[in-house]
């Protein structure tokens, strides 16, 4: 009953029938109380988003898996100290973290959110060292600014670690056996991943490779490589009829398939009768030198890995006795030539076996591959006089002991070749996946370092299929957003939305892009789409908040951003957007609290540092403003906007030389950004360098001809120069461009005092 209940619960979890799984698991725990069953019940509650239930069930348990599930429950309930204590018990300082890579990753998250960056980085690195495919750990390292180059993390060393770990975890039944019962050779993963040379293969298995006489190229082939052609992904069938069982990839052996196959089979040459050969196959007697029990035992081991469909020895002898220039005999008794050219393994495999190892060979349908000795001058003793006599039939004088030895050699040969094929497939997959993660990881790392142009170039190296996915296009959109190229960012996010309309990642940034573009209609449509997709997503409420903020309804916008915070308290950008709205409402105290909350979640969230700098700049706390702008600039040293505001803070502190240098850097960083040029003119004006200031503004008005503040500043400079007519002309143009109410008042005041001397105006 216990086994049945466990299976039912697991089946219900697989089918997402969580309530039924919980009900049955409660019956299981009532009838058979044990910690293992409590783990299953806790898992059911966690699947049903009831972390508090799992928390109470597992509190006080001691098994490693129980502590891991308890830590997951605590993390979801924001009980980070208890989660840490579960993973690292105080009374067991040297205890291993449960669940390996996953446990280290969870511990890294706990350290990150408790502001222990170095410990977090250490555990994320340990998680990656255990499991090189744990992408989220590398993602966290990038967010923390501590990621190594992707080439180092997802390189050959990662493939070797993966190999070693899987070797230790493989069951003994999958290990390859040699002819003797106590001997062994490396497993299929080892043969696939190690850089095995021809010499090493020859030393290990020289007696198990056979020469194929009569072949025009003298090709050397691996028997098991018939499953796949040169790792190209195109399956090549060498059989006229389908196999009775699929290829076995697990450790469970299929039924013995070779017990009814004749012990010897020779192909007749051009003068022989095809009908007699087919009859020999159909009417051959069963082996007599082996009993059923022993044959089942050998077959189980023989097919544990590669599961070839026929006996390799039969194929080897048939190929040895055949002439490549003669017509080949098919399974239906007709003569036809079926030459298969099977290419070499591609060099993406770390084994790097030379092209001389695996070459083309003529084979016959209905038979397996034949192998050739690596030493061309040496022939295995198993090939007898049938090599020179193409018309010879099955020998009846072979002794039982000779057949036993031959069968053992065939078994070892087939296992080794199957291991090479399986290992090559595994290696090809591992290296291909690591190559993909290298590209994605390097692009993401560069994005997190705000080297956005380089990141875009890396993403372009991806295949068409990978590039046009929601995640990659969202990252491209974020990169363009940081480059202040809002049109390209909008295009990339729109493509991401089209590719994955159900994915909301990055849509908060997309809504901010539309906010900057003042695309009110598109922003409203996006917000409605996101809400209809997922009302419980913080990105949806951020989009709605940006809609109201664009309409200057800051109070309603603030409510929507707060809703996003309530849905996900670890969503740093929602906290920052709340801070922006509080600042717009001139509630600086609450604005500072929101920015600080964002920084507790992500210390490298430069938007929050910028927000704090803006608050202090408005409060004329210039030293604080300079400190926070510099913090933001250190995180994102390529942002023209941050350089400009840092320069403004330096100018407010009367550090004009540093301020001018920073403005020059800002102009060079983004020539399309008009703000640093305007602020440079302001600094030059304060230094009484009026001609230089006018020169900068003349250049600037070509970029932004409808910016009223530019014309107003030019009017102010002309007034200082005593050119009142030009000053009046520029003030009038500034008013015609419909500036804000505050700017209108300032410009009108300047017009009224146009003929008042500077000294008297300062006293007024």
């Amino acid at each position: 009953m216990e086994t049945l209940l466990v299976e039912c619960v697991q089946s219900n979890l697989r089918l997402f029938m969580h309530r039924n799984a919980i009900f049955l698991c409660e019956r299981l725990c009532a009838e058979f109380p044990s910690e293992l069953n409590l783990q299953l019940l806790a898992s059911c509650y966690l699947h049903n988003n009831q972390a508090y239930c799992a928390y109470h069930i597992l509190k006080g348990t001691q098994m490693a898996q129980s502590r891991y599930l308890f830590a997951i429950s605590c993390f979801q309930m924001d009980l980070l100290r208890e989660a840490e204590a579960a993973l690292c018990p105080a009374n067991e300082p040297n205890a291993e973290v449960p669940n390996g890579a996953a446990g280290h990753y969870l511990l890294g998250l706990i350290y990150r959110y408790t502001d222990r960056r170095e410990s977090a980085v250490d555990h994320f690195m340990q998680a990656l060292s255990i499991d090189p495919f744990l992408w989220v750990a590398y993602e966290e390292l990038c967010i923390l600014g501590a990621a190594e180059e992707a080439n180092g993390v997802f390189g050959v060393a990662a493939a070797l670690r993966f190999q070693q770990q899987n070797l230790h975890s493989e069951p003994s039944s999958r290990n390859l056996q040699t002819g003797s019962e106590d001997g062994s050779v490396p497993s299929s993963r080892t043969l696939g991943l190690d850089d095995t040379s021809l010499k090493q293969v020859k030393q290990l298995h020289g007696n198990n490779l056979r020469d194929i006489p009569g072949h025009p190229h003298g090709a050397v082939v691996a028997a098991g490589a018939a499953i796949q052609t040169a790792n190209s992904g195109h399956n090549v069938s060498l059989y006229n009829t389908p196999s009775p069982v699929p290829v076995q990839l697990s450790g469970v052996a299929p039924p013995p398939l070779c017990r009814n196959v004749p012990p010897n089979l020779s192909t007749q040459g051009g003068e022989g009768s095809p009908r007699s050969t087919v009859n020999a196959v159909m009417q051959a007697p069963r082996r007599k030198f082996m009993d059923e029990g022993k044959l089942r035992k050998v077959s189980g081991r023989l097919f544990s890995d590669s599961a070839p469909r026929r006996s390799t020895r039969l194929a080897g002898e048939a190929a040895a006795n055949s002439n490549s220039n003669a017509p080949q005999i098919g399974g239906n008794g007709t003569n036809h030539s079926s030459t298969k050219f099977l290419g070499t393994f591609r060099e993406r495999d770390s084994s790097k076996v030379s092209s001389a190892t695996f070459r083309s060979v003529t084979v016959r349908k209905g038979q397996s591959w034949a192998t050739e000795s690596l030493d061309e001058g040496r022939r295995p003793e198993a090939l007898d006089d049938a090599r020179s006599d193409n018309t010879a039939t099955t020998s009846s004088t072979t002794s039982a002991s000779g057949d036993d030895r031959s069968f053992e050699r065939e078994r070892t040969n087939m296992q080794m070749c199957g291991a090479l094929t399986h290992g090559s497939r595994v290696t090809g997959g591992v290296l291909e996946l690591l190559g993909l993660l290298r590209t994605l990881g390097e692009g993401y790392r560069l994005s997190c370092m705000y080297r956005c142009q380089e990141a875009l170039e890396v993403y372009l190296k991806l295949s068409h299929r990978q590039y046009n996915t929601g995640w990659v296009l969202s990252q491209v959109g974020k990169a363009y957003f940081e480059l202040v190229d809002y049109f390209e960012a909008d295009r990339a996010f729109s493509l991401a939305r089209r590719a994955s309309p159900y994915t909301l990642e990055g849509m908060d940034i997309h809504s901010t892009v539309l906010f900057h573009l003042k695309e009110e209609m598109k922003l409203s449509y996006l917000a409605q789409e996101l809400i209809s997709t997922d009302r419980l997503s913080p990105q949806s409420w951020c989009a709605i908040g940006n809609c109201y903020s664009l309409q200057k309804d800051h109070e309603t916008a603030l409510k929507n951003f707060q809703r996003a915070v309530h849905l996900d308290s670890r969503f740093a950008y929602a906290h920052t957007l709340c801070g922006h709205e509080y600042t717009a409402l001139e509630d600086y105290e609450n604005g500072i609290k929101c920015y600080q909350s964002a920084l507790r979640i992500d210390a490298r969230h430069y938007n929050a540092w910028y927000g704090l700098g803006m608050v202090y700049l408005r409060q004329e706390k210039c030293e604080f403003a300079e400190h926070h702008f510099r913090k933001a600039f250190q995180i994102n040293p390529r942002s023209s906007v941050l350089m400009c505001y840092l320069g403004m803070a330096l100018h407010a502190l009367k550090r004009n030389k540093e301020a001018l240098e920073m403005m020059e850097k800002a102009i060079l960083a983004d020539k399309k950004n008009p703000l640093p040029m305007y602020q440079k003119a302001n600094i030059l004006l304060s230094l009484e360098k009026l001609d230089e200031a006018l020169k900068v503004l003349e250049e600037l008005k070509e970029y932004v001809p409808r910016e009223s503040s530019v014309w107003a500043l030019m009017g102010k400079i002309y007034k200082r120069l005593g050119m009142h007519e030009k000053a009046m002309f520029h003030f009038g143009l500034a008013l015609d461009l419909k500036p804000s109410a505050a700017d209108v008042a300032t410009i009108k005041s300047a017009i009224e005092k146009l003929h008042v001397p500077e000294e008297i105006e300062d006293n007024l």
Side-chain angles (χ1 to χ4, degrees):
M1 179 178 173
E2 182 178 12
T3 304
L4 177 60
L5 279 171
V6 169
E7 289 177 354
C8 288
V9 170
Q10 292 173 343
S11 175
N12 278 273
L13 288 177
R14 285 193 299 271
L15 297 171
F16 301 96
M17 309 245 335
H18 298 144
R19 287 183 57 199
N20 199 56
I22 290 170
F23 176 80
L24 292 176
C25 203
E26 285 178 345
R27 310 285 74 76
L28 172 68
C29 292
E31 194 71 28
F32 306 99
S34 70
E35 190 168 329
L36 286 175
N37 291 338
L38 287 178
Q39 290 175 12
L40 186 57
L41 180 58
S43 299
C44 293
Y45 279 119
L46 286 171
H47 278 88
N48 204 40
N49 294 322
Q50 293 177 274
Y52 52 90
C53 295
Y55 172 84
H56 290 290
I57 289 169
L58 295 173
K59 192 167 187 177
T61 51
Q62 298 299 322
M63 292 177 66
Q65 181 66 11
S66 300
R67 291 190 288 114
Y68 176 77
L69 293 173
F70 181 72
I72 289 283
S73 307
C74 293
F75 185 80
Q76 293 184 9
M77 296 170 66
D78 208 23
L79 302 173
L80 301 184
R81 295 295 179 185
E82 288 190 60
E84 181 185 352
L87 293 172
C88 301
N91 57 347
E92 298 179 31
N94 297 323
E96 288 188 7
V97 177
N99 277 359
H104 282 287
Y105 170 71
L106 179 57
L107 199 53
L109 288 177
I110 293 167
Y111 285 134
R112 178 193 163 189
Y113 292 128
T114 52
D115 199 22
R116 287 176 282 178
R117 180 182 180 275
E118 291 184 4
S119 298
V121 168
D122 180 57
H123 282 280
F124 289 138
M125 291 295 292
Q126 287 189 56
L128 269 177
S129 68
I130 296 171
D131 183 2
F133 301 134
L134 193 62
W135 165 261
V136 287
Y138 188 74
E139 203 172 41
E140 292 293 333
L141 287 170
C142 292
I143 292 170
L144 291 171
E148 299 177 6
E149 288 189 12
N151 286 336
V153 176
F154 303 111
V156 177
L160 293 176
R161 287 198 306 271
F162 179 80
Q163 167 205 1
Q164 292 169 358
Q165 289 156 11
N166 280 269
L167 280 177
H168 290 306
S169 63
E170 279 182 0
S172 58
S173 61
R174 292 179 64 99
N175 290 336
L176 298 178
Q177 309 279 336
T178 57
S180 61
E181 290 294 325
D182 56 348
S184 62
V185 295
S187 70
S188 61
R189 290 188 186 275
T190 306
L191 290 171
L193 285 168
D194 286 345
D195 190 7
T196 309
S197 65
L198 291 178
K199 183 178 179 181
Q200 290 170 323
V201 173
K202 178 180 175 181
Q203 289 173 350
L204 284 173
H205 305 289
N207 294 329
N208 295 323
L209 299 175
R210 300 177 181 176
D211 191 84
I212 304 176
H215 194 276
H217 303 292
V220 180
V221 295
I227 299 172
Q228 198 173 23
T229 303
N231 244 358
S232 63
H234 301 291
N235 293 330
V236 180
S237 175
L238 300 181
Y239 304 100
N240 200 30
T241 55
S243 173
V245 294
V247 175
Q248 298 290 317
L249 297 180
S250 67
V252 180
L257 301 179
C258 59
R259 60 185 178 189
N260 291 327
V261 180
N264 291 293
L265 180 63
S266 298
T267 341
Q268 294 187 358
E271 296 134 335
S273 170
R275 186 185 303 274
S276 63
T277 305
V278 175
N279 288 339
V281 174
M282 299 300 294
Q283 299 174 5
R286 180 180 297 196
R287 292 179 184 266
K288 297 298 183 182
F289 59 86
M290 234 175 169
D291 64 341
E292 289 284 324
K294 183 174 181 181
L295 192 56
R296 283 197 183 93
K297 181 178 178 183
V298 172
S299 293
R301 291 197 306 271
L302 182 63
F303 291 96
S304 61
D305 269 341
S306 58
R309 299 174 183 172
R310 303 290 175 105
S311 170
T312 304
R313 183 177 67 85
L314 301 180
E317 291 177 359
N321 294 328
S322 64
N323 190 335
S324 62
N325 297 322
Q328 302 298 313
I329 302 173
N332 56 3
T334 59
N335 292 342
H336 64 279
S337 178
S338 59
T339 304
K340 307 288 185 181
F341 295 96
L342 297 121
T344 61
F345 285 91
R346 286 187 287 186
E347 288 189 359
R348 69 178 183 184
D349 298 338
S350 62
S351 55
K352 298 181 181 176
V353 182
S354 70
S355 60
T357 310
F358 300 99
R359 292 184 184 169
S360 59
V361 62
T362 303
V363 293
R364 211 175 46 228
K365 285 188 176 180
Q367 293 183 348
S368 181
W369 290 54
T371 54
E372 181 182 37
S373 175
L374 292 175
D375 189 349
E376 294 184 1
R378 183 179 169 199
R379 299 289 190 272
E381 295 177 0
L383 294 179
D384 53 15
D385 295 337
R387 178 174 299 137
S388 59
D389 185 5
N390 289 336
T391 60
T393 58
T394 304
S395 175
S396 60
T397 61
T398 306
S399 65
S401 60
D403 283 338
D404 277 334
R405 288 193 300 272
S406 178
F407 191 75
E408 290 297 323
R409 286 197 298 270
E410 295 152 18
R411 177 169 65 91
T412 305
N413 182 26
M414 189 178 293
Q415 288 172 337
M416 184 200 71
C417 297
L420 285 170
T421 305
H422 173 70
S424 177
R425 288 203 305 270
V426 170
T427 304
V430 168
L431 295 179
E432 191 172 353
L433 178 54
L434 286 173
L436 175 60
L437 292 179
R438 263 197 307 276
T439 306
L440 293 171
E442 188 62 15
Y444 190 75
R445 184 184 74 88
L446 291 170
S447 290
C448 289
M449 294 174 67
Y450 301 100
R451 294 160 59 180
C452 299
Q453 193 60 50
E454 297 173 59
L456 289 172
E457 293 171 4
V458 170
Y459 286 133
L460 286 174
K461 296 177 183 177
L462 291 168
S463 66
H464 179 76
R465 286 178 296 182
Q466 287 292 337
Y467 187 87
N468 289 299
T469 56
W471 188 89
V472 174
L473 289 169
S474 291
Q475 297 304 317
V476 170
K478 289 179 183 178
Y480 279 120
F481 170 72
E482 296 296 344
L483 291 170
V484 202
D485 191 346
Y486 296 134
F487 291 104
E488 283 298 320
D490 178 32
R491 179 174 169 272
F493 280 123
S494 299
L495 290 173
R497 183 82 183 138
R498 194 181 307 167
S500 302
Y502 46 84
T503 303
L504 305 188
E505 183 178 355
M507 291 300 106
D508 50 321
I509 304 296
H510 189 194
S511 67
T512 302
V513 168
L514 296 175
F515 172 88
H516 286 297
L517 291 173
K518 303 189 186 307
E519 292 279 1
E520 194 171 323
M521 186 176 295
K522 287 179 72 174
L523 180 54
S524 177
Y525 180 70
L526 175 65
Q528 291 178 20
E529 273 198 324
L530 296 181
I531 282 292
S532 64
T533 303
D534 187 0
R535 292 183 62 86
L536 300 179
S537 168
Q539 290 90 345
S540 304
W541 295 97
C542 285
I544 294 177
N546 275 327
C547 275
Y548 285 108
S549 184
L550 184 58
Q551 297 167 7
K552 307 298 182 184
D553 187 351
H554 298 295
E555 291 183 356
T556 308
L558 178 60
K559 290 178 182 177
N560 286 283
F561 292 140
Q562 287 173 336
R563 172 68 172 157
V565 169
H566 293 154
L567 287 169
D568 186 356
S569 61
R570 296 192 181 104
F571 193 55
Y573 194 48
H575 289 279
T576 299
L577 291 172
C578 285
H580 290 342
E581 297 308 312
Y582 276 123
T583 303
L585 293 168
E586 297 186 354
D587 186 352
Y588 299 130
E589 185 179 351
N590 281 318
I592 289 172
K593 289 180 180 177
C594 289
Y595 292 134
Q596 289 173 343
S597 297
L599 291 173
R600 275 193 293 270
I601 298 164
D602 182 3
R604 296 187 74 252
H605 187 57
Y606 79 88
N607 312 72
W609 291 108
Y610 160 81
L612 286 168
M614 287 297 296
V615 169
Y616 290 125
L617 192 63
R618 290 190 181 190
Q619 292 178 335
E620 298 184 359
K621 298 178 180 178
C622 300
E623 290 183 356
F624 288 160
E626 188 263 339
H627 168 76
H628 288 88
F629 284 135
R630 195 172 293 280
K631 278 281 189 180
F633 175 65
Q634 287 170 354
I635 296 167
N636 186 359
R638 290 168 176 78
S639 171
S640 174
V641 175
L642 293 178
M643 294 178 194
C644 182
Y645 278 99
L646 178 56
M648 290 167 63
L650 292 169
H651 174 52
L653 290 168
K654 308 299 182 184
R655 293 157 61 180
N656 292 320
K657 184 179 179 181
E658 295 177 61
L660 274 175
E661 289 175 356
M662 193 57 64
M663 291 304 172
E664 291 291 348
K665 288 181 180 179
I667 293 168
L668 291 174
D670 185 4
K671 294 183 179 180
K672 295 182 291 184
N673 183 8
L675 185 59
M677 293 184 73
Y678 178 80
Q679 292 299 332
K680 179 183 177 181
N682 255 327
I683 296 170
L684 291 170
L685 176 61
S686 68
L687 294 173
E688 297 296 330
K689 297 180 179 181
L690 303 182
D691 292 335
E692 293 182 38
L694 271 177
K695 184 179 178 182
V696 172
L697 291 172
E698 287 288 344
E699 184 181 352
L700 179 58
K701 74 178 183 181
E702 300 297 326
Y703 290 105
V704 282
R706 301 189 60 81
E707 183 60 49
S708 62
S709 56
V710 175
W711 296 97
L713 186 58
M714 291 180 75
K716 189 175 179 180
I717 293 172
Y718 281 121
K719 179 187 174 183
R720 288 267 189 102
L721 292 170
M723 305 169 69
H724 297 125
E725 290 182 3
K726 282 193 172 183
M728 189 64 191
F729 172 74
H730 285 85
F731 283 139
L733 284 176
L735 285 174
D736 291 342
L737 293 172
K738 299 179 180 180
S740 63
D743 288 341
V744 168
T746 304
I747 294 169
K748 285 183 176 180
S749 175
I751 292 173
E752 290 172 0
K753 300 174 183 178
L754 184 61
H755 297 284
V756 177
E758 289 289 330
E759 297 81 6
I760 300 175
E761 185 180 346
D762 292 339
N763 294 330
L764 293 174

